[in-house]
């Protein structure tokens, strides 16, 4: 039976059918109020069942792909693709998004990102945040304070103080994907949706404040695989606007096209969200992961070394330009992909190489017609901004309709050629271990080998190794990638990590656990859709 909606919430309390299992640390009661929990209960009660049904649809679609079926533009929605329609007008503060920075929701990062000079900051509860209970609720506190411009931070080690500048980036929030659960909040004994938890708390506490300050509740939606999943978000938005008495259409969302299946339904996704749409984004790293994952059992769909799969690769170039044409036809912005490079300290030559690669990537995006791009580090904001300032003197390029672009299903499904090497295999193993190790310690955004990595890169790494093992792929030197070969390389790369970080840091870390999980994910016959699912099980079991 639900408790009375009065007094501070405590762990184990049930409000409107939701049981909070996580500890209520100081300040958490200001976020997990009875009123906020009642709103979450409304969302989960209305939409939790449909979320699970759509996840089951994903499973059934995967079974068809495993049998050799290939996706295509859906014939049943041809009328939507061929009709003339546009999304609702964009808010003023979303017209110019030439540089967007992304990052986790920890307090220092939020301040630095908002101060970075980027036009938009995407505060990420998904791939850049390990979803420990503390990370998630403290993230909500940090975002609440940032919206009200009261956020400050003092570094305990250096004593340096951080506060917001007069001019800051526009805030967007990325909740977790539909596949993730929040195991610290139960409804009828079952975990609620992580997406609804993240979205619900943010919009409940901050939507009216953002609107009063001339902005609005803006979101990024990850990992969608169909327009039906976009439709579910639309229904969530409508209920939230009605429940919280927000203006109709004030919630705006940019959808990340980061799955191969969503690439065939860009028009349909924009159409479903047309009153709430803020365009599409090319989530390139997860897109590569999705391509490998969806066609994982097809020996003809084996990718070369991950480093060879750049945005100049035909299938990625086709997807990027299709996104631009589709968005611009519908009056929507098309945001480009992530530059994961970070400044290389104490190595001017390496730093210049990294920056030159970023410039080339951003020049390709801007010249193709993208309306903005992503960076992962404040040091890359000026580099990307300089390129877009040169190529895009107007707030966006939506007027460039790119009617010259024609993309077929075959273009989207073209598997790139390239080498498959031991070096590529080793890099996948090293990155996989390094990222998972940090994730198990509660860190979701990790600098590795001069790149800022989130879960997407680790997903590509372990998925590619799985595919090479389970399709019997041969390396260029003739050796077949077997479980024994992978085990040997895992052991060697684990030893390399000890050398790299030192014996003390290695002993205090989770490297052996990370290697064990990586090895298990690669060896098992049944592919695990997301490495964050078993990793989350471990985090929760350890009480985080």
């Amino acid at each position: 039976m639900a408790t009375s909606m009065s007094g501070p919430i405590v762990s184990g309390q049930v409000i409107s059918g939701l049981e909070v299992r996580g500890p209520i640390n100081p300040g958490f009661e200001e976020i997990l109020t009875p009123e906020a929990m009642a709103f979450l209960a409304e969302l989960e009660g209305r939409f939790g069942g449909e979320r699970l049904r759509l996840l089951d649809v994903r499973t059934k679609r995967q079974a068809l792909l495993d049998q050799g079926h290939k996706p295509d533009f859906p014939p049943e929605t041809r009328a939507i693709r061929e009709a003339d329609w546009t999304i609702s007008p964009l808010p003023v503060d979303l017209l110019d998004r030439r540089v967007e920075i992304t990052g986790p929701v920890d307090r220092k990062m939020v301040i630095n990102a908002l101060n970075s000079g980027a036009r938009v900051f995407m505060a990420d509860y998904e791939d850049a945040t390990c979803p420990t209970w503390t990370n998630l609720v403290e993230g909500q506190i940090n975002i609440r304070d940032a919206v009200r411009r009261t956020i400050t931070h003092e570094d305990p080690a250096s004593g340096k103080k951080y506060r917001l500048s007069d001019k800051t980036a526009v805030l967007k929030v990325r909740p977790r994907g539909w596949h993730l659960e929040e195991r610290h909040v139960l409804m009828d004994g079952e975990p609620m949706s992580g997406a609804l938890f993240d979205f619900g708390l943010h919009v409940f506490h901050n939507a009216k404040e953002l609107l009063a300050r001339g902005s609005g509740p803006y979101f990024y939606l990850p990992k969608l695989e169909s327009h039906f999943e976009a439709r579910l978000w639309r229904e969530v938005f409508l209920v939230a606007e009605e429940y919280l008495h927000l203006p109709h259409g004030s919630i705006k969302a940019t959808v990340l096209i980061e799955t191969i299946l969503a690439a065939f339904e860009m028009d349909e996704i924009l159409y479903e969200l047309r009153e709430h749409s803020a365009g599409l984004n090319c989530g390139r790293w997860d897109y590569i992961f999705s391509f490998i994952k969806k066609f994982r059992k097809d020996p003809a769909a084996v990718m070369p070394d991950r480093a060879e799969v750049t945005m100049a690769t035909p299938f990625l170039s086709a997807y990027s330009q299709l996104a631009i044409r589709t968005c611009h036809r519908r009056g929507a912005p098309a945001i480009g992909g992530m530059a994961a490079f970070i400044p290389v300290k104490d190595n001017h030559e390496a730093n210049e190489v990294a920056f030159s690669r970023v410039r080339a990537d951003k020049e390709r995006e801007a010249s193709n017609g993208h309306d903005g791009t992503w960076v992962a580090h404040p040091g890359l904001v000026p580099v990307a901004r300089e390129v877009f300032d040169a190529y895009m003197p107007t707030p966006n390029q939506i007027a460039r309709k790119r009617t010259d672009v024609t993309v077929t299903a075959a273009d989207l499904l073209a598997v790139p050629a390239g080498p498959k090497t031991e070096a590529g295999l080793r890099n996948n193993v090293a990155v996989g271990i390094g990222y998972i190790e940090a994730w198990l310690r509660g860190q979701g955004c990790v600098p590795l080998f001069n790149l800022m990595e989130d879960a997407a890169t680790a997903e590509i790494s372990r998925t590619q190794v799985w595919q090479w093992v389970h399709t019997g792929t041969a390396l260029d030197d003739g050796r077949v990638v077997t479980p024994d070969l992978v085990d040997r390389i895992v052991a060697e790369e684990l030893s390399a990590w000890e050398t790299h970080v030192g014996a003390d840091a290695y002993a205090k870390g989770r490297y052996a656990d990370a290697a064990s999980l990586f090895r298990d994910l690669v060896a098992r016959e049944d592919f695990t859709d997301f490495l964050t699912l078993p990793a989350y099980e471990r985090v929760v079991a350890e009480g985080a």
Side-chain angles (χ1 to χ4, degrees):
M1 184 173 68
T3 61
S4 170
M5 289 177 57
S6 63
I9 190 172
V10 297
S11 184
Q13 186 173 359
V14 179
I15 298 177
S16 301
L18 287 184
E19 179 186 358
V20 179
R21 291 281 185 88
I24 307 301
N25 300 336
F28 283 22
E29 75 283 352
E30 298 173 9
I31 297 297
L32 304 168
T33 63
E35 295 79 10
M37 298 306 292
F39 177 58
L40 293 185
E42 179 77 9
L43 295 180
E44 180 65 22
R46 286 199 185 212
F47 303 114
E50 177 65 5
R51 177 184 78 91
L52 295 175
R53 188 190 73 79
L54 289 171
L55 292 179
D56 186 58
V57 170
R58 287 187 184 183
T59 301
K60 292 174 179 175
R61 292 183 80 183
Q62 183 62 54
L64 292 175
L65 297 176
D66 289 345
Q67 295 166 17
H69 174 79
K70 290 292 187 288
D72 203 342
F73 299 98
E76 63 272 20
T77 53
R78 181 186 300 273
I80 291 175
R81 294 194 298 277
E82 294 181 349
D84 289 325
W85 52 267
T86 59
I87 66 167
S88 296
L90 294 165
V92 172
D93 59 346
L94 291 182
L95 289 174
D96 190 332
R97 296 163 59 184
R98 63 190 60 226
V99 182
E100 302 190 348
I101 191 169
T102 76
V105 291
D106 67 86
R107 203 163 182 88
K108 178 181 172 182
M109 178 63 200
V110 168
I111 297 172
N112 284 343
L114 288 170
N115 288 345
S116 67
R119 293 298 181 111
V120 172
F121 164 47
M122 188 197 76
D124 189 12
Y125 289 100
E126 203 221 14
D127 276 0
T129 294
C130 176
T132 67
W133 178 246
T134 299
N135 283 349
L136 292 170
V137 184
E138 285 187 353
Q140 293 284 347
I141 293 171
N142 298 337
I143 296 300
R144 176 204 63 187
D145 293 349
V147 168
R148 290 157 180 80
R149 299 189 61 84
T150 60
I151 187 170
T152 59
H153 175 69
E154 182 172 342
D155 190 300
S158 67
K160 184 177 179 180
K161 296 180 180 180
Y162 298 80
R163 56 178 48 85
L164 292 180
S165 303
D166 291 338
K167 184 177 181 180
T168 56
V170 174
L171 175 69
K172 292 175 75 77
V173 166
R174 177 161 71 170
R176 281 169 285 178
W178 284 133
H179 61 290
L180 294 169
E181 299 174 336
E182 180 45 65
R183 290 187 170 269
H184 297 92
V185 181
L186 309 182
M187 174 170 271
D188 300 325
E190 295 296 325
M192 77 168 291
S193 161
L196 295 179
F197 180 86
D198 301 337
F199 164 82
L201 287 177
H202 175 63
V203 77
F204 181 87
H205 287 292
N206 301 314
K208 289 183 179 178
E209 184 71 23
L210 285 162
L211 288 165
R213 291 174 177 268
S215 189
Y218 304 149
F219 294 89
Y220 260 104
L221 305 180
K223 306 289 191 296
L224 299 190
E225 294 193 7
S226 74
H227 68 283
F228 297 108
E229 296 181 14
R231 180 180 299 172
L232 178 56
W233 270 118
R234 182 194 71 191
E235 292 170 353
V236 170
F237 294 165
L238 292 172
V239 165
E241 288 173 344
E242 180 180 8
Y243 188 104
L244 298 173
H245 306 292
L246 304 175
H248 178 72
S250 58
I251 297 174
K252 297 295 183 184
T254 304
V255 172
L256 288 133
I257 301 299
E258 54 184 353
T259 68
I260 180 64
L261 299 182
F264 289 92
E265 301 186 31
M266 294 188 200
D267 271 307
E268 293 87 338
I269 288 169
L270 286 172
Y271 184 80
E272 291 292 342
L273 289 164
R274 60 195 181 279
E275 295 178 313
H276 297 97
S277 179
L280 305 178
N281 169 285
C282 290
R284 60 176 72 170
W285 308 121
D286 269 302
Y287 190 80
I288 298 169
F289 158 52
S290 172
F291 191 104
I292 300 171
K293 175 170 70 171
K294 291 303 179 184
F295 308 126
R296 58 189 180 246
K297 293 189 176 181
D298 183 359
V302 175
M303 292 269 190
D305 286 0
R306 178 166 58 88
E308 300 293 320
V309 187
T310 69
M311 288 305 292
T313 306
F315 86 110
L316 289 177
S317 178
Y319 134 81
S320 171
Q321 296 198 55
L322 178 61
I324 296 167
R325 174 178 173 140
T326 303
C327 283
H328 289 183
R329 183 185 177 197
R330 307 307 182 184
I335 308 300
M338 171 67 79
F341 287 100
I342 57 178
V344 184
K345 295 181 179 179
D346 305 320
N347 190 329
H348 177 75
E349 184 176 343
N351 197 59
E352 279 304 306
V353 169
F355 277 34
S356 67
R357 291 178 180 175
V358 172
R359 287 189 194 97
D361 178 50
K362 301 314 170 192
E363 286 171 356
R364 181 186 302 110
E365 289 182 327
S367 62
N368 282 342
H370 275 294
D371 304 287
T373 192
W374 271 16
V375 298
H377 190 282
L380 272 299
V381 170
V383 180
R385 185 175 58 219
E386 180 182 0
V387 171
F388 270 83
D389 286 349
Y391 282 80
M392 192 175 78
T394 52
N396 55 63
Q397 302 191 76
I398 294 174
R400 287 186 63 192
K401 300 306 180 184
R402 291 306 310 272
T403 54
D404 57 305
V405 171
T406 301
V407 174
T408 67
D411 293 329
L412 294 175
L413 297 174
V415 181
K420 304 174 185 68
T421 67
E422 180 180 322
L425 178 59
R426 283 187 178 278
N427 182 256
N428 281 337
V429 172
V431 169
I433 292 173
Y435 182 81
I436 295 171
E437 188 278 331
W439 206 94
L440 293 175
R441 290 188 288 105
Q443 186 177 352
C445 190
V446 188
L448 296 172
F449 311 117
N450 298 326
L451 297 172
M452 187 65 75
E453 306 288 21
D454 65 10
T457 311
E459 291 284 27
I460 300 172
S461 298
R462 64 96 186 184
T463 303
Q464 181 162 65
V465 177
W466 188 97
Q467 187 185 44
W468 285 4
V469 168
H470 293 270
T471 56
T473 295
L475 300 176
D476 285 3
D477 61 15
R479 287 179 297 161
V480 174
V481 182
T482 64
D484 287 344
L485 176 60
V486 172
D487 283 349
R488 177 174 67 79
I489 290 178
V490 167
E492 291 170 359
E493 292 303 319
L494 188 58
S495 178
W497 270 111
E498 182 173 13
T499 301
H500 179 65
V501 302
D504 186 53
Y506 182 88
K508 293 177 180 177
R510 302 290 301 274
Y511 292 94
D513 292 336
S516 174
L517 179 55
F518 185 92
R519 187 184 292 111
D520 177 65
L521 288 169
V522 168
R524 58 189 307 151
E525 286 294 329
D526 55 325
F527 181 84
T528 301
D529 277 340
F530 296 93
L531 70 82
T532 47
L533 296 176
Y536 185 52
E537 295 284 353
R538 296 192 184 197
V539 165
V540 172
E542 293 165 4

